[in-house]
């Protein structure tokens, strides 16, 4: 079955740039999406179609994709950005959707 | 605004069945695909199933195929997940989510309902 691979954790100091990667064989042909999930809350979409930002999401959140890797970048990370971040995509068939294992971002 | 409210979770013995519901409001339910996504305690998100806006197609994760059934009732603006032959590894918070009108991804989520499979 199709898999998306993320690092388990990323840690930055406030004001630094955080980068979270997501690798998958179908990413050259399929969009990546990113969700933020704070403790005890439902996920929130922060990036769609590789690099688009939904309304209400701060400009410090950006996304990119190249080859088999998608990247979520948080420029000038803030303490309130501390959360789990999960990438999402579809396999080549589009029938199956998949989440990455999630990355815990610590801003400390 | 979009509102999704899950219900039906609880404690169930292995091998038994449970049906989850998701009441939708704030959008035209009949024109959107819908997903179920789950999250085991301390684990990441796992996509479970999707149903197209008109119910014509349904797709499942390999881990639940043949045991879970996704369905919808347009007249009640409600999404369902029938879960049969439950296993301990099905223990999770189950979220329903609306599929974006412009792509194959969830764009709005409910708050989830906890299912615990234990004897």
């Amino acid at each position: 079955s199709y898999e998306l691979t993320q690092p388990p954790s990323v840690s930055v100091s406030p004001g630094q740039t955080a980068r979270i990667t997501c690798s998958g064989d179908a990413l050259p042909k399929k969009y990546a999406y990113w969700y933020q999930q704070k403790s005890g809350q439902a996920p929130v979409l922060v990036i769609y179609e590789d690099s688009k930002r939904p309304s209400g999401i701060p400009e410090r959140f950006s996304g990119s994709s190249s080859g088999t890797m998608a990247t979520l970048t948080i420029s000038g990370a803030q303490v309130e950005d501390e959360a789990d971040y999960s990438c999402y995509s579809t396999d080549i068939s589009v029938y199956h959707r998949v989440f990455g294992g999630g990355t815990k971002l610590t801003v400390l | 605004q979009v509102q999704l409210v899950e219900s039906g979770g609880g404690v169930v013995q292995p091998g038994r069945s449970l049906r989850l519901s998701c009441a939708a409001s704030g959008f035209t339910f009949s024109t959107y695909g819908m997903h179920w996504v789950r999250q085991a305690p301390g684990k990441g998100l796992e996509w479970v199933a999707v149903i197209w806006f008109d119910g014509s197609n349904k797709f499942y994760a390999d881990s639940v195929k043949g045991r879970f059934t996704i369905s919808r009732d347009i007249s009640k603006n409600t999404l369902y997940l029938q879960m049969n032959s439950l296993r301990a590894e099905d223990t999770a918070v189950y979220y329903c989510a609306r599929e974006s009108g412009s792509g194959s991804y969830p764009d709005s989520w409910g708050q989830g309902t906890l299912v615990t499979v234990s004897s």
Side-chain angles (χ1 to χ4, degrees):
Chain A
S1 60
Y2 185 49
E3 293 184 355
L4 296 173
T5 302
Q6 298 180 235
S9 63
V10 168
S11 183
V12 298
S13 300
Q16 288 188 327
T17 295
R19 294 182 178 85
I20 300 172
T21 59
C22 172
S23 64
D25 289 341
L27 290 180
K29 296 186 177 182
K30 298 298 180 184
Y31 286 126
Y33 303 82
W34 291 93
Y35 295 88
Q36 177 194 68
Q37 188 179 24
K38 296 184 178 180
S39 181
Q41 298 183 20
V44 172
L45 181 71
V46 294
I47 293 290
Y48 67 102
E49 293 180 0
D50 290 344
S51 59
K52 298 178 181 177
R53 196 173 50 249
S55 61
I57 300 301
E59 290 185 6
R60 62 181 180 273
F61 288 87
S62 64
S64 62
S65 187
S66 178
T68 59
M69 185 168 290
T71 303
L72 172 69
T73 301
I74 307 173
S75 303
Q78 301 183 8
V79 173
E80 62 258 35
D81 298 330
E82 196 163 276
D84 292 324
Y85 291 86
S86 297
C87 60
Y88 164 93
S89 188
T90 63
D91 66 6
I92 290 295
S93 71
V94 189
Y95 298 153
H96 291 91
R97 320 327 171 69
V98 64
F99 287 92
T103 298
K104 181 175 181 59
L105 174 65
T106 301
V107 182
L108 194 60
Chain B
Q1 74 277 22
V2 175
Q3 191 167 12
L4 300 167
V5 180
E6 301 92 339
S7 61
V11 180
V12 61
Q13 293 180 329
R16 305 296 290 263
S17 299
L18 200 64
R19 189 178 79 158
L20 305 183
S21 300
C22 171
S25 60
F27 65 102
T28 305
F29 182 67
S30 61
T31 63
Y32 285 86
M34 297 293 296
H35 297 257
W36 285 102
V37 177
R38 69 184 181 183
Q39 186 169 35
K43 302 296 184 181
L45 300 169
E46 180 186 12
W47 175 77
V48 173
V50 63
I51 184 169
W52 287 22
F53 71 99
D54 58 0
S56 62
N57 281 290
K58 308 171 185 180
F59 301 110
Y60 301 90
D62 290 343
S63 58
V64 307
K65 194 179 301 182
R67 299 188 300 123
F68 289 11
T69 301
I70 188 172
S71 62
R72 63 194 301 163
D73 186 333
I74 301 300
S75 67
K76 295 182 179 179
N77 280 1
T78 301
L79 176 73
Y80 300 103
L81 185 67
Q82 177 67 42
M83 303 185 295
N84 299 332
S85 302
L86 283 162
R87 307 166 180 167
E89 54 264 37
D90 296 318
T91 294
V93 173
Y94 284 74
Y95 295 98
C96 73
R98 187 186 76 169
E99 180 157 279
S100 167
S102 61
S104 305
Y105 63 99
D107 66 355
S108 298
W109 299 65
Q111 287 302 308
T113 186
L114 176 62
V115 173
T116 301
V117 184
S118 173
S119 55

